[in-house]
Amino acid sequence: TCRKIFKNEHEQSMMKPDVFTLDLYGVILLGKIRSDDQSLTFDEKRKIYQQLEQHNDMQYVRHGLQCTLKARIAQLTAAIALYHNSDPQQICTVFDTIMASESKIEYIDEEQNVIRLHGLPHLMVQFLVRYMIAFQLSELCAAQPHGLNIIVGQIKPQEHLQNNKAIYTIKQCVVDELNQFDPPIQCQETWKNPGMIFIPSMQLSPHSQTHIDHARSKLTQPSTDWYFTDPRNLTEEKKLCLK
């Protein structure tokens, strides 16, 4: 198993794990941090996170591999799960560290002047929307003066339903997050590419500082309004608690 490989790899160097095994081990650690197991204290979960961080920083290099996008996503998701309701600034610290590494998360395409969020987990998309508005809005608006182009991807017709329910798309996730701002940030689907949404500059410029302050508050003050599950499943009472 994955655990046995890591337990014995010091003694059995011939058992070199592949990328899949390394990624799987990180996902196992993430699962422990995201677990609702009340027997695990915050400090115990923090130790597990530190184990995950060391795993990503050391094990891939040790075996001549580069840390993968999946591994970094697991690390950032674990940080969100651990710190969102206690010390969310730690999430930004983790993200900045990842972005300074060789295996950074490429979500801003400077050549195409687009923001690429398709294919990422909802929780990470939510974080990136907040982070970009909180700390990168001026830079992004300077690069895209007419407005922001965000690639959210398309869902194939046969993929629209999951367990007889329309799946929660990245597009809807971005729209819902932008609607949490006051005033809401309105976006529109581009007619040339239904897998891309566009935020006109007029939606950002007049209220930029208000939007920045809101986004920064979500990344500096404890909060519970994170998409750990499909937000459509929340009761109205829970939705009010998240606002």
Side-chain angles (χ1 to χ4, degrees):
T1 66
C2 186
R3 286 193 182 94
K4 288 182 179 178
I5 288 176
F6 278 85
K7 181 179 180 181
N8 299 325
E9 70 178 297
H10 289 291
E11 302 172 359
Q12 303 178 25
S13 58
M14 65 184 69
M15 296 178 63
K16 178 180 178 180
D18 56 15
V19 168
F20 174 80
T21 304
L22 291 168
D23 286 351
L24 179 59
Y25 187 73
V27 171
I28 291 172
L29 295 178
L30 167 61
K32 290 183 177 181
I33 295 171
R34 290 192 61 167
S35 170
D36 292 329
D37 185 355
Q38 299 297 321
S39 65
L40 289 175
T41 66
F42 175 82
D43 287 339
E44 288 172 331
K45 288 189 174 184
R46 183 167 55 186
K47 288 180 180 178
I48 295 172
Y49 172 79
Q50 291 169 347
Q51 186 179 351
L52 171 57
E53 193 174 64
Q54 292 172 359
H55 168 76
N56 283 354
D57 291 342
M58 298 174 62
Q59 292 298 335
Y60 290 84
V61 174
R62 179 183 178 188
H63 295 288
L65 302 168
Q66 182 171 336
C67 190
T68 65
L69 174 61
K70 182 177 289 187
R72 290 307 188 188
I73 289 176
Q75 182 180 346
L76 183 60
T77 303
I80 295 172
L82 182 63
Y83 293 115
H84 71 280
N85 201 25
S86 58
D87 187 8
Q89 294 186 68
Q90 292 295 327
I91 304 171
C92 295
T93 300
V94 169
F95 180 69
D96 291 340
T97 301
I98 291 174
M99 295 304 293
S101 70
E102 293 184 0
S103 54
K104 63 182 180 180
I105 301 166
E106 303 283 359
Y107 64 99
I108 296 178
D109 188 332
E110 296 181 352
E111 291 186 5
Q112 300 294 324
N113 270 339
V114 295
I115 299 164
R116 299 183 179 275
L117 300 181
H118 61 299
L120 298 175
H122 297 90
L123 194 61
M124 187 169 173
V125 167
Q126 186 182 24
F127 168 79
L128 288 175
V129 169
R130 294 178 176 185
Y131 187 91
M132 286 187 291
I133 294 177
F135 303 111
Q136 298 177 308
L137 188 58
S138 296
E139 177 185 343
L140 291 171
C141 289
Q144 303 180 49
H146 299 295
L148 305 183
N149 291 297
I150 305 176
I151 298 179
V152 292
Q154 299 184 62
I155 298 297
K156 297 177 181 178
Q158 64 270 27
E159 297 176 340
H160 270 292
L161 292 179
Q162 188 176 61
N163 297 327
N164 296 320
K165 180 179 180 180
I167 67 172
Y168 189 59
T169 63
I170 296 300
K171 179 187 294 186
Q172 192 60 51
C173 175
V174 173
V175 171
D176 287 347
E177 184 61 28
L178 294 175
N179 281 333
Q180 297 300 315
F181 286 79
D182 185 16
I185 300 175
Q186 302 294 327
C187 59
Q188 58 197 45
E189 186 176 290
T190 60
W191 65 273
K192 288 185 178 180
N193 184 355
M196 178 184 291
I197 58 177
F198 177 69
I199 304 177
S201 58
M202 67 180 66
Q203 286 290 319
L204 299 169
S205 300
H207 311 286
S208 59
Q209 192 56 52
T210 300
H211 291 149
I212 289 171
D213 291 344
H214 173 85
R216 288 187 178 179
S217 71
K218 294 297 183 181
L219 298 176
T220 56
Q221 300 173 18
S223 63
T224 57
D225 58 343
W226 291 87
Y227 297 156
F228 289 103
T229 59
D230 187 334
R232 297 172 301 176
N233 294 334
L234 296 176
T235 64
E236 290 302 318
E237 181 179 355
K238 288 184 178 180
K239 287 179 181 178
L240 290 174
C241 292
L242 294 184
K243 293 182 179 180

